[in-house]
Amino acid sequence: MDALRASDPSRIGGHRLLGRLGAGGMGVVYLGRADSGALAAIKVILPEYAEDGDFRARFRREVEAARRVDSPWVVAVTDADTGGERPWLATEFVAGPALSEAVARCGPLPARSVRVLGRLLSRALASVHAAGLVHRDVKPGNVLLTTDGPRLIDFGIARAVDATALTATDLVVGTPGFLSPEQATRSGTAAGPASDVFSLGCLLAYAATGRPPFGSGAVEALLYRTVHDEPDLDGMDDPELRSLLGELLAKEPAARPDAARLDELIVEDAPDGSIDWLPEDVVRLIAVRSTAMLALPDIDATVADEPTTAAAAPAPGRRGLLLLAGAGAVVAAGGGAFAVREWLGGGSHDSGAAGTGGPTWTIGVQADLSGPRSADGRAQERGVRLAVERFNSRGNEPFTLRVKALDDRGEVSRAVRLAERFARDRDVLAVIGPTGDPATDAVLGAYDEAMLPVITVSSLLLAYTARNQKSFFQAAPFDAVLSVPIIRRLLLRPDVERLGVLLDRTGGQAAYQVGYATQMNAGVLTTGTAYPRVVPAGTRDFAPVVADMLAHASDAFFYAGDAAGAARMARALAATSFKGPRMAVHTAMNAAFLKDGGDAAESWEFTAPCIAATAPEAKKFAAMHRRRFGSAPARWAAEAYDAAGLVIAALTALVAPTATATTATAGPTPRAGEARRPTRAALVEKIAASTYQGVSRTYAFDEDHRLKSSDAYLYTVRNGGYHYLGRAPRTAA
């Protein structure tokens, strides 16, 4: 929120103004406090519209219709003056994030949450339609989530069903991606109540999947897909919800249920005054917003008369300025200011964007968000979002970034489809991911064909399927490199001469590469030796193998396999008199090893390519993560944050005045002062030539786009948990 300007009134109607929420094409919106203490968002029409008799008449009719809307799920009109010199409209101001922000921060909602949301919003729309209105801009940014449920906001382009639209004939009204086919193909007068139902279907699909059902990108392409294509509901496994959305997103208006009927179709409890139906992290976000609004201060007494000139405005005292600054900080952090600004702009909001006035570009995240490595994938998504939000918060950059995350579930076929989708989306300039090796290996062809930079931080195989990998960057030490700090940790000590290496085929290719390289390089890097054993996948009894390795004078152990096998190995060693050092491959470092290994897991060590939240160099990042997500960063979050930072640094360098248009940019000629979008190929070249200092390590790449740095980190099990020991012994330069 901005402080009031000298030319702004101090009061409107019965409201004392606290500051400016924003300004748009038709007016200025203020935050006001009524004499009762209630907050209100007050929209004051600009003079050029106030002087238009036809506009004033239409504004009056729509205000009268909006005041007839009676629903707890609609932000109510609290006061208005349509006949004064400057017409204005006041609505209740509610504290809470927009649905778009909640999904961007916390991820897609579970099916039950989506059904409850749909039922409550269907009641909101039923009230709107019963009042003779059509909303015409139902979208995630126009739904606020509050402590007692959702609120539908923004009647800025709503119209009475039987009234002439405020917009010109043939102008598409609404937000592309969340409008109906009839809005996309005809004038604004064609949008009836069924159009709002279609938009609600788009909104619910977004809530369930984290993406608009007709994609993103150029407006023309969005409109075409809305009219001709089937919605993208991939990842929505709930058959009841999928069937419901199929009805809402019917191309023909007559085939859609009306809002009142929709309330009956959704057989899900919709508790009044409760948000228990929302996920815990969303509830926490709502609570933070609401608590912040309680701190919104009163303001000192001011002259009630409106100033006629800038000189006539009383200068606020020091305390008044501090209070206004404090109020601005609170509202900007809350959902209210965001939602009103979106209303004023009349456009859509993309996750991570914070308007700079320049172009908006996209960083994609392809990750396993719901499969076997979902914890790693979600951590990486959060890291990327944090980097983008930090960049956008600067507010003085020539472009804005947003994040688009797609869940490949760790499935190869799905990973390929999503990579192709990212490749076709020209707004996507780079992709962070995928999470695991099989998915990464499968998608390289699609990304290389599109010359779309793809940066993985957790796919660590030495070699992928032979093909040109022009746009692929491996931003972490590959598995075989990790053998070096393992050998140095275990063999460079006076009490160890022979390292026993157990290769368990259950661990797959990644574990095998680390184990094989460890036993091969032990005698090369040190004066010690290795005694390797390989066991078939599915081996259950490690006692005979351990006995054999001890019989061959193994005085340190390294296990390369999975977490379950590492636990069996730990128990087998614990049953002997062995007290020497023992270590396992980093892929076994998870909760299963601690649970299955029990006391036998104590003192085991791991060398991992991902830094810990407790590392001194990660302190600032960890603090930001806690403020943003309410928890310490999980493994791989810092590395994904770094990867996004690397991309952002390269983009910033490319749009700097020294970047040449012929090699660095593409697309139409930008407006004066506006950044021109770099080509993907230029971005690949810039990343390849970069040296970037991140939280986890210094990022620089060799000619094969592999990371030059081999930094790794040591962990040990202590008191039933993983504890960070510091950086692993460095390899030779």
Side-chain angles (χ1 to χ4, degrees), residues 330-381:
V330 169
V331 177
F338 153 73
V340 173
R341 287 192 179 106
E342 185 175 45
W343 169 14
L344 291 166
S348 60
H349 178 83
D350 295 294
S351 67
T356 64
T360 299
W361 302 325
T362 301
I363 293 179
V365 177
Q366 180 173 346
D368 177 355
L369 301 177
S370 60
R373 292 192 63 179
S374 58
D376 295 340
R378 288 194 299 268
Q380 291 176 27
E381 181 189 2

Side-chain angles (χ1 to χ4, degrees), residues 59-129:
F59 179 70
R60 181 173 61 252
R61 287 198 300 269
E62 295 194 4
V63 168
E64 291 170 352
R67 297 182 83 162
R68 296 197 301 269
V69 177
D70 182 16
S71 171
W73 314 116
V74 176
V75 172
V77 174
T78 57
D79 202 357
D81 179 4
T82 60
E85 182 179 351
R86 294 282 301 275
W88 56 269
L89 168 70
T91 62
E92 62 177 326
F93 185 89
V94 294
L99 175 64
S100 53
E101 181 188 3
V103 172
R105 286 177 177 266
C106 306
L109 302 181
R112 178 176 181 267
S113 298
V114 176
R115 286 194 294 269
V116 173
L117 178 67
R119 191 166 195 187
L120 296 178
L121 292 180
S122 71
R123 294 174 182 177
L125 286 179
S127 298
V128 171
H129 299 161

Side-chain angles (χ1 to χ4, degrees), residues 148-159:
D148 56 358
R151 295 291 188 278
L152 181 63
I153 67 168
D154 192 356
F155 288 83
I157 60 172
R159 70 175 180 87

Side-chain angles (χ1 to χ4, degrees), residues 293-317:
M293 286 308 299
L294 294 177
L296 189 67
D298 289 313
I299 59 174
D300 289 339
T302 55
V303 177
D305 296 334
E306 297 182 11
T308 55
T309 66

Side-chain angles (χ1 to χ4, degrees), residues 644-688:
L646 171 66
V647 171
I648 292 169
L651 280 171
T652 303
L654 284 174
V655 301
T658 54
T660 61
T662 55
T663 62
T665 59
T669 302
R671 296 188 297 271
E674 181 178 284
R676 188 172 182 179
R677 183 178 67 189
T679 65
R680 291 170 169 179
L683 185 56
V684 168
E685 183 178 352
K686 179 60 70 174
I687 293 171

